[in-house]
Each structure stands twice: as C-alpha cells, then as structure tokens.
Amino acid sequence: MHKIDLDLVEMTLDVMKYTIDRISKTEDVIGKPQKAATLKALVGDTVTDKGIGGETAFNLWKQHLMHANVKIDHPRHLAFVPASPTRASILFDLVTSASSIHGAYWMEGAGGIFCENEAMKWIVSLTGLPEGAFGVFTSGGTAANLSAIVTAREYWRSLNDQNKSQKGLIITSIGAHSSIKAMAKVVDVDVLLVDTEDRLKGSALQHTIDKLTPQQKQRLFAVVATGGTTNAGIIDDLDGIATICQAENLWFHVDAAYGGGALAADSVRHLFNGIEKADSITIDPHKWMFSPYDCGAVIYKQPELAKKAHAQEGSYLDIFKDEGAHGFNPTDYQIQLTRRVRGLPLWFSLATHGTDRYKQAVERGLELAAISGQLIKDMDHVELVREPSLSCVLYRRKGWTPNDYRDWTFANHDKGFALVTPTKWKTGDTFETVSRFCFINPDTTEQDIKAILESMK
Ligand SMILES: Cc1ncc(COP(=O)(O)O)c(C=O)c1O
C-alpha cells in the first residue's frame, strides 16, 4: 500500500485526468441520489479481503457512484447554499492532501499555516475589526459557531463565580441558522428566539432583553446576529445590536457563514455596518468565497479569549508550546485538534487570481439575484415574495400548493436539469411554501434562470 511502483504512477495520471475532466466540464446533468440497495446492486462488494484493485474501484466510481451525487457547483444548482470552488482552489486541494500537513501546530505545519494566515488576513480586513483581531479556518459554519459560543460562554464564566454555576442564555432570532440552536444544545445553553424572520432590529432585541426576568438576565451572555440569513439573505441591524451588546455587556457574535463573502462586494458592504464591533464572526469560505469543502472560519476580536477557552493541555502537547516551536497554533482557537490546513486551497486561489476577482465574482451573484428579481416581475405566472436580498430570491408560483413545488423540484432534478428547492416564508403567523434561489456560481446565466422559471408554467 505504501510502495512506489508503476501502478501508482498510472493511478496518479488517471486521477489527474479525472480531475481535469471534472473541473473543465461546464455543461452536464446535475446528478441525483440512488437508493443504497440500487448502488450496491450496481457495484457489488468493493471492500474485500484482497481488494478489488484501484482501477476497478475507480471505474465503479466513474461509471456509477459519482453520478449519484449532486454537482453542487452546477450553474443550475440554486438550492440551499450552493458552492462554486475556483478551479485553482480545487487543484490546490489535491496539493493539500498530497502534502500531508498536520495543521494544528506551527511546529509541524508552519508553511501551510503561514499560507492560511495570509488568506485569513484578507478575510479579517473585510470585517473592519480592530488591530489584533484574527481567526482560524474550521470545518464549516457549524464548527465556527460552536467555537465562538464556547469562547463567549467561557469568557462569561470567567467574569464572576456566580456565572460558573449558571446555565447560560443566548438571544438570536428565528431567522438564525439551525446550527445556532444545535450548537447551543451541545454547549448546554438556552436560546431565546426573537420571533422575526425578517431583519432583527436593535429595538426588537432591546424589547426582548427588557422583558427578561432578573434571573434570565443574569444568565444572558451573548447575542447572535445573522449577516445574511440562509433562507432569505437578510442582514440583521448589526450596528444597533452591537450598541445594545456594548451597553448590556453581552458578547456579540455575527453568523455571516453565508453572507460573509459579500463583505468583499462594494455595492452591499454598507449593509454590514456594525460587524466591525463584533466579538466574533463566522464566515464560510466554502460558501461565497469559492473554496472547496470543507472550509469555514471563525474570527475573534480578542483571539486570546478563544485561546483561553480552546487551547488543549497534555504532556504530549507541551513541546508545541515551547518557545523553540513558537508560532501561531490554529488548534488553540477552535474545537478541533488535528486538522487539515483547509485554508490552503483558498490561499492559492487568492494568490493566483487576486482579491479583485473575488469581488467581481461575488458581485455577479448579487447581479444574478437582481436579474432574476426582474425576470420574476416580468412574468405572469410567478411573483416575488420579497425583494431579493444578497443573492437570495424568494418567489411564488401563483396558484401552487406545497405539493406542486415539491413535484416540480423532483421533476427538474430527475431530468438532471436543475435543483431548486422550496422553503417556507413566515408572514404573521402563517408559513407559506415558496420557491427560493441562492446564487453563488458566477457561471449561472440569465438563460439558466429563465429556463427554470419557464419550467414552472
Ligand atoms: C448562516 C449560516 N450559518 C451556519 C451555517 C452552517 O454552516 P456549515 O454547513 O458549513 O456547518 C449555514 C449553512 O448554510 C448558514 O447559512
């Protein structure tokens, strides 16, 4: 398995050929799942005592298994939050794997961590956080949110002895991503949801805080605002919320996992005003910064607080903390010890193309949302539910029931034509099933959008 021979050379060439084919194919079907039993019937036993051989396994992948995946970077994949890694970043993902770097400590991964930090400096500069702020790459937004909540909770507990025995409480809105509630469960803190899926305003937050009991108020340690909600691309009133957090001595976390890429876009940057006052921010390069999976990021105004919360101790780790090994240790700032230098593909792509190209690619996503908004207004059978926000567009097909949306989604997916999924939008007390676009891929065309809308006729 660890021998270098002709088979290895041939396999390397096969892998490179596959990679070139995959990343240069611009028009293709979108890919759809199969039942596990169907896949098993197609490929048979693949993990056996003696192995089936690399060539056979790779052929099974190419013939059957890879087609059972949605091509998340397909220009007509507009569901959830799509991805569209640059080709340079995908290629360097291969280099990252081939380089076998342990990215936890500078002592072992200095070269890779240096590159990650160069990319991170750019991301931090977009936030406007003060000198000293810095971050690390995580496995995604969920892990970044978890790392931030743990840091906030540990900081709060360090403030006085009473907090040490209290169950913490955070406030966010129903527009926040599901990972906030899920990670609060992991950390065992309670979540109070402000009942708005629209922009969370400072006034609504203040009202919620004012209604807390004295006991709840004592337990409250953080507010999570969203910089681009997953469902509708809405940016909360970050400045107003920051002011309240300052006055109430609360940790201010901004979850910009999806929207954070738009910090690079001059046309919408002002919508994020106030983000520079955050104590921590989540931004996912694997969403709108065109990185391959998986690559999230958590950024702290005061990274030393994260280090207090996360740095692991163990006699076997002491050497990493010795002066002789001195450098930046990403493991100290988030929940993971052994880690891939997952910011490396982003660094290579940024170094290759420059940050201006990133700005342009993000602006294209915003433009596509505006274009689709206009197309929807011009067509009789569809209408906007709300004006596009960032790159999210919510719209309804007049007269459709939830089942119609579902059937349409599956029909388009089945044909390999497009993947656009329904969601729900809350108005008053009612949840309406509607259709949603989220644009990330700058290669999506106006024609793609038209064709999808026309398929709803
Ligand atoms: C606003 C927001 N936060 C967090 C997440 C979770 O990120 P991940 O899936 O990378 O864990 C998402 C995912 O879509 C998101 O949109």
Side-chain angles (χ1 to χ4, degrees):
M1 287 198 299
H2 294 84
K3 252 189 0 212
I4 301 161
D5 55 17
L6 205 60
D7 283 352
L8 173 77
V9 175
E10 279 178 5
M11 183 56 67
T12 308
L13 295 175
D14 282 351
V15 167
M16 291 319 297
K17 184 175 176 307
Y18 170 89
T19 305
I20 293 164
D21 282 354
R22 172 67 180 87
I23 66 177
S24 57
K25 203 175 229 175
T26 51
E27 256 309 316
D28 202 0
V29 293
I30 210 159
K32 61 176 183 201
Q34 300 278 1
K35 291 198 168 123
T38 311
L39 294 175
K40 184 74 180 175
L42 286 168
V43 304
D45 286 339
T46 51
V47 177
T48 63
D49 285 355
K50 304 293 174 218
I52 59 172
E55 200 181 332
T56 309
F58 201 16
N59 283 336
L60 290 175
W61 171 258
K62 286 186 281 192
Q63 278 169 20
H64 305 295
L65 299 169
M66 75 174 231
H67 302 295
N69 300 296
V70 170
K71 294 183 172 71
I72 199 103
D73 54 350
H74 192 285
R76 288 188 299 278
H77 179 286
L78 305 177
F80 319 113
V81 180
S84 180
T86 66
R87 290 167 175 98
S89 69
I90 293 170
L91 292 174
F92 222 70
D93 209 39
L94 298 184
V95 174
T96 303
S97 287
S99 303
S100 286
I101 300 165
H102 190 289
Y105 292 104
W106 190 263
M107 182 178 169
E108 294 207 294
I113 297 166
F114 172 85
C115 296
E116 285 196 312
N117 289 353
E118 291 295 294
M120 183 56 73
K121 279 183 205 159
W122 174 65
I123 299 177
V124 174
S125 75
L126 297 175
T127 66
L129 281 170
E131 192 70 29
F134 208 57
V136 285
F137 294 100
T138 62
S139 63
T142 302
N145 285 334
L146 175 59
S147 300
I149 295 171
V150 170
T151 302
R153 201 269 316 269
E154 291 303 289
Y155 172 65
W156 169 70
R157 287 214 163 137
S158 74
L159 294 177
N160 64 53
D161 281 346
Q162 199 185 5
N163 294 351
K164 291 195 173 69
S165 55
Q166 298 260 23
K167 187 175 186 189
L169 172 70
I170 62 176
I171 296 181
T172 190
S173 78
I174 60 167
H177 186 258
S178 52
S179 61
I180 301 297
K181 279 177 275 173
M183 292 308 102
K185 216 185 283 173
V186 172
V187 182
D188 194 26
V189 302
D190 288 326
V191 183
L192 209 150
L193 293 172
V194 181
D195 189 19
T196 178
E197 211 190 328
D198 229 309
R199 185 166 187 254
L200 174 62
K201 294 196 190 118
S203 51
L205 173 64
Q206 190 64 62
H207 185 64
T208 307
I209 294 174
D210 291 345
K211 282 199 317 203
L212 296 179
T213 64
Q215 203 258 355
Q216 280 177 316
K217 209 157 175 189
Q218 208 158 44
R219 292 168 50 217
L220 178 66
F221 69 94
V223 174
V224 178
T226 309
T229 60
T230 318
N231 209 22
I234 295 164
I235 301 163
D236 288 340
D237 169 18
L238 302 182
D239 207 44
I241 295 170
T243 305
I244 293 166
C245 287
Q246 260 164 9
E248 302 275 349
N249 255 327
L250 298 170
W251 186 278
F252 176 34
H253 177 67
V254 179
D255 180 3
Y258 150 61
L263 289 166
D266 296 337
S267 65
V268 291
R269 177 60 183 83
H270 61 283
L271 301 175
F272 292 89
N273 284 350
I275 198 169
E276 72 284 354
K277 296 176 189 159
D279 292 293
S280 53
I281 304 172
T282 290
I283 296 178
D284 273 2
H286 68 202
K287 294 189 168 69
W288 217 353
M289 286 184 176
F290 314 110
S291 276
Y293 295 134
D294 45 21
C295 185
V298 58
I299 300 164
Y300 303 97
K301 179 155 72 191
Q302 294 178 272
E304 61 279 10
L305 297 181
K307 194 168 175 179
K308 279 198 188 126
H310 291 289
Q312 296 190 24
E313 303 287 335
S315 50
Y316 36 83
L317 300 177
D318 285 348
I319 190 74
F320 291 121
K321 302 186 180 177
D322 191 272
E323 270 305 297
H326 201 69
F328 182 81
N329 297 325
T331 188
D332 288 347
Y333 304 89
Q334 41 80 51
I335 56 166
Q336 204 174 358
L337 183 67
T338 301
R339 64 182 283 282
R340 176 182 180 78
V341 271
R342 52 171 58 87
L344 207 46
L346 173 65
W347 164 77
F348 182 69
S349 183
L350 279 167
T352 301
H353 297 298
T355 56
D356 284 354
R357 296 281 292 279
Y358 275 70
K359 270 179 194 277
Q360 287 159 18
V362 173
E363 290 282 8
R364 182 63 187 155
L366 298 165
E367 256 168 43
L368 287 166
I371 289 170
S372 66
Q374 195 52 53
L375 286 171
I376 290 164
K377 283 179 187 165
D378 292 346
M379 290 179 176
D380 286 338
H381 65 297
V382 283
E383 63 188 357
L384 283 176
V385 171
R386 61 192 313 282
E387 284 297 317
S389 192
L390 290 182
S391 66
C392 287
V393 185
L394 297 184
Y395 65 99
R396 64 175 67 83
R397 162 64 165 85
K398 292 177 194 166
W400 271 15
T401 65
N403 283 351
D404 293 324
Y405 286 102
R406 190 202 53 206
D407 294 348
W408 170 78
T409 293
F410 284 134
N412 276 343
H413 193 189
D414 239 33
K415 283 184 259 177
F417 164 61
L419 187 59
V420 179
T421 49
T423 186
K424 290 195 175 72
W425 179 249
K426 185 169 187 259
T427 322
D429 285 338
T430 52
F431 284 91
E432 180 188 356
T433 297
V434 298
S435 190
R436 171 181 172 278
F437 292 147
C438 181
F439 296 99
I440 296 285
N441 190 340
D443 291 340
T444 301
T445 62
E446 184 166 342
Q447 196 42 49
D448 288 325
I449 304 168
K450 255 191 206 150
I452 291 169
L453 291 171
E454 270 159 15
S455 72
M456 287 182 132
K457 274 188 173 159

